[in-house]
Amino acid sequence: MRRYLRVVVLCLACGFCSLLYAFSQLAVSLEEGAGGGGGKPQAAVASWLAGGGRGAVRGTGGAGPAAHPGGSGRCKDFSLCYWNPYWMLPSDVCGMNCFWEAAFRYSLKIQPVEKMHLAVVACGERLEETMTMLKSAIIFSMKPLQFHIFAEDQLHHSFKDRLDSWSFLQTFNYTLYPITFPSENAAEWKKLFKPCASQRLFLPLILKEVDSLLYVDTDILFLRPVDDIWSLLKKFNSTQIAAMAPEHEEPRIGWYNRFARHPYYGKTGVNSGVMLMNMTRMRRKYFKNDMTTVRLQWGDILMPLLKKYKLNITWGDQDLLNIVFFHNPESLFVFPCQWNYRPDHCIYGSNCQEAEEEGIFILHGNRGVYHDDKQPAFRAVYEALRNCSFEDDNIRSLLKPLELELQKTVHTYCGKIYKIFIKQLAKSVRDRYATSPKEK
């Protein structure tokens, strides 16, 4: 009887050892499948959790140093794996369970944190305006942001200094790019409308690794999270590649329907100051056009369009976009005016019904209204956000002074409906910052 008992115990021991070996092999395969193979175990995982606020000039690589898992300063850059961890390890070496560590790293690899990509083009005296726009994006957004900043060379140092001073937030990353146009027609593209404005046309060709992108002008202010406009990408049907708002809601004051000498989208055209793009689809699509019976891809259609219409267009790249989507209307998703609210929506009386009902989502201070006295309601919102810091208490307390400033603007048509300027802003502050730090 004892002999049989010994055989059973021996078989159980062998089975246990076999199981341990199988787990060990599985751990190795998980590590290899997750891109392991040595090095720093989690340096490339979830960069937003460590050093996520640092930026890089194009071509310099990452976005700041990644912290060692657990944040321990005593660990070397390598770790030892033991099935019975931490037995007699040197004090500066971390032990870990290979199987669980590899499995955890694998799960992070296959479930990356989604980043929202936002692009802006800044030239001339647009530094402060751009920084205020970026601040408004950071304040309310939930998911991490990746900024793609195209700027003249003399602005790069200032952008880097300012953005690096925000790195403690760890909620955004950025890359600086030079202004670049196709070499054979660079001068012609640069002088189209405003300096550098037509850079946005080439974003799908420059940012080849970016799937989707939100482009905004420098004079944009986000009054609700970027997450909300980013979610509109999921509402695109199978043919839609981009989203913009109408240029006008009221045809009687519309520019395109009264003065345009070229094709334009819809009844009043579209405004390109806020443009959401599925750039993978843009790069793949073949566009109908009025230059040839052959459909052309994005990189091939831009210069022929400019050559044909350059004597007829007034608003530069925006006009070219209107021409493209006139011939390809099925490719455009049109979002309401509250996502791109401009002085035109209130300068002669309110004509954006969605903003009246729900408030302004994105404020667009075109025509320099943030910097003069023509539209003091727009300027009041800009100044409030420009002077706002990132402290929770400071953000929570910006609403009352702003409302008092807006009440001083009721002598203007836009000021008479000042409540739509803070309706959504108040909701965004409440949703994002209503909970005190002790309650979080």
Side-chain angles (χ1 to χ4, degrees), residues 384-435:
L385 287 170
R386 184 175 72 87
N387 296 324
C388 182
S389 67
F390 290 108
E391 285 77 21
D392 289 8
D393 289 342
N394 192 280
I395 295 169
R396 279 194 288 265
S397 63
L398 73 82
L399 292 172
K400 190 62 178 177
L402 173 57
E403 185 171 7
L404 293 175
E405 285 299 316
L406 287 170
Q407 288 174 358
K408 299 176 184 177
T409 70
V410 294
H411 61 283
T412 65
Y413 279 113
C414 294
K416 288 178 181 178
I417 54 170
Y418 74 86
K419 289 186 178 179
I420 72 170
F421 286 80
I422 56 173
K423 188 173 185 178
Q424 184 57 222
L425 183 61
K427 183 178 185 302
S428 298
V429 171
R430 183 172 63 250
D431 292 347
R432 189 79 170 86
Y433 296 96
T435 306

Side-chain angles (χ1 to χ4, degrees), residues 172-197:
F172 73 96
N173 208 329
Y174 73 92
T175 307
L176 286 167
Y177 303 83
I179 300 296
T180 53
F181 296 107
S183 56
E184 62 272 20
N185 306 106
E188 195 165 3
W189 283 115
K190 189 165 185 176
K191 68 183 180 182
L192 182 65
F193 188 43
K194 293 180 180 179
C196 310

Side-chain angles (χ1 to χ4, degrees), residues 1-18:
M1 186 67 180
R2 289 182 178 176
R3 186 177 300 172
Y4 289 119
L5 205 57
R6 289 173 183 168
V7 171
V8 171
V9 171
L10 182 61
C11 289
L12 288 174
C14 291
F16 182 72
C17 291
S18 299

Side-chain angles (χ1 to χ4, degrees), residues 83-99:
W83 283 109
N84 295 298
Y86 317 124
W87 286 1
M88 303 299 292
L89 292 179
S91 61
D92 61 347
V93 174
C94 288
M96 66 181 70
N97 184 302
C98 287
F99 176 74

Side-chain angles (χ1 to χ4, degrees), residues 84-265:
N84 295 298
Y86 317 124
W87 286 1
M88 303 299 292
L89 292 179
S91 61
D92 61 347
V93 174
C94 288
M96 66 181 70
N97 184 302
C98 287
F99 176 74
W100 294 114
E101 189 275 334
F104 175 70
R105 187 185 332 151
Y106 182 73
S107 68
L108 282 177
K109 281 289 187 180
I110 63 176
Q111 295 177 346
V113 178
E114 181 189 8
K115 291 187 289 185
M116 301 179 294
H117 292 261
L118 188 151
V120 64
V121 179
C123 290
E125 303 296 323
R126 297 284 183 160
L127 173 67
E128 193 66 34
E129 196 173 79
T130 305
M131 293 302 302
T132 305
M133 179 276 291
L134 296 175
K135 182 192 292 184
S136 72
I138 293 169
I139 284 176
F140 300 116
S141 296
M142 307 295 182
K143 296 189 187 76
L145 290 157
Q146 173 68 48
F147 296 139
H148 301 273
I149 302 169
F150 292 79
E152 291 176 308
D153 293 344
Q154 64 268 26
L155 294 177
H156 281 218
H157 182 73
S158 297
F159 270 117
K160 188 176 188 306
D161 283 350
R162 297 281 293 274
L163 288 165
D164 284 350
S165 71
W166 295 353
S167 62
F168 65 93
L169 296 168
Q170 297 190 355
T171 56
F172 73 96
N173 208 329
Y174 73 92
T175 307
L176 286 167
Y177 303 83
I179 300 296
T180 53
F181 296 107
S183 56
E184 62 272 20
N185 306 106
E188 195 165 3
W189 283 115
K190 189 165 185 176
K191 68 183 180 182
L192 182 65
F193 188 43
K194 293 180 180 179
C196 310
S198 56
Q199 178 75 80
R200 83 184 83 183
L201 295 175
F202 301 96
L203 297 181
L205 308 178
I206 297 171
L207 303 176
K208 294 180 180 179
E209 304 304 316
V210 177
D211 174 67
S212 297
L213 183 76
L214 175 63
Y215 166 84
V216 295
D217 286 346
T218 60
D219 50 11
I220 290 295
L221 292 173
F222 292 94
L223 305 187
R224 67 180 293 173
V226 176
D227 309 59
D228 295 331
I229 189 170
W230 190 260
S231 68
L232 296 180
L233 286 164
K234 297 178 181 178
K235 295 188 177 182
F236 284 17
N237 64 28
S238 59
T239 65
Q240 289 167 338
I241 65 171
M244 289 183 277
E247 173 71 11
H248 289 282
E249 301 299 309
E250 175 52 67
R252 287 177 296 179
I253 61 171
W255 192 91
Y256 282 107
N257 55 291
R258 292 189 298 159
F259 304 116
R261 295 178 294 160
H262 58 79
Y264 55 89
Y265 179 89

Side-chain angles (χ1 to χ4, degrees), residues 262-266 285-292 295 301 305 308-309 319-332:
H262 58 79
Y264 55 89
Y265 179 89
K285 183 175 176 61
Y286 286 83
F287 294 87
K288 299 188 291 288
N289 60 87
D290 58 358
M291 299 170 292
T292 173
R295 297 191 179 197
I301 200 172
L305 274 181
K308 178 172 182 176
Y309 288 105
D319 291 346
L320 295 181
L321 289 168
N322 268 279
I323 295 168
V324 168
F325 289 110
F326 169 84
H327 293 290
N328 301 269
E330 75 287 350
S331 298
L332 188 65

